[in-house]
Amino acid sequence: MKKSRRTPVLVAVSILLIIISSLIPSDKSAWLGALQTILLGVGLLGCCMAFWRFAKGGKGKS
């Protein structure tokens, strides 16, 4: 995959993981709560990584 397409794909997948984690009914069992927390954490980590790539990619290109 081209480098120019990695960041938007990472953001889209991260947002999708965050949305999926919000749809899980965590009050039904502890395992669903743990799954919700893991998905939310991975989604937030992906958003942070995408922001880091975006901020880092803008430097040095004059």
Side-chain angles (χ1 to χ4, degrees), residues 14-60:
S14 299
I15 290 172
L16 186 65
L17 284 174
I18 292 170
I19 291 171
I20 290 172
S21 75
S22 70
L23 297 175
I24 295 174
S26 62
D27 55 345
K28 304 229 180 206
S29 81
W31 291 105
L32 289 176
L35 178 65
Q36 181 184 32
T37 303
I38 290 170
L39 286 177
L40 182 62
V42 170
L44 290 174
L45 182 65
C47 283
C48 290
M49 287 175 53
F51 176 75
W52 182 259
R53 269 192 200 163
F54 177 74
K56 192 173 150 184
K59 295 180 182 175

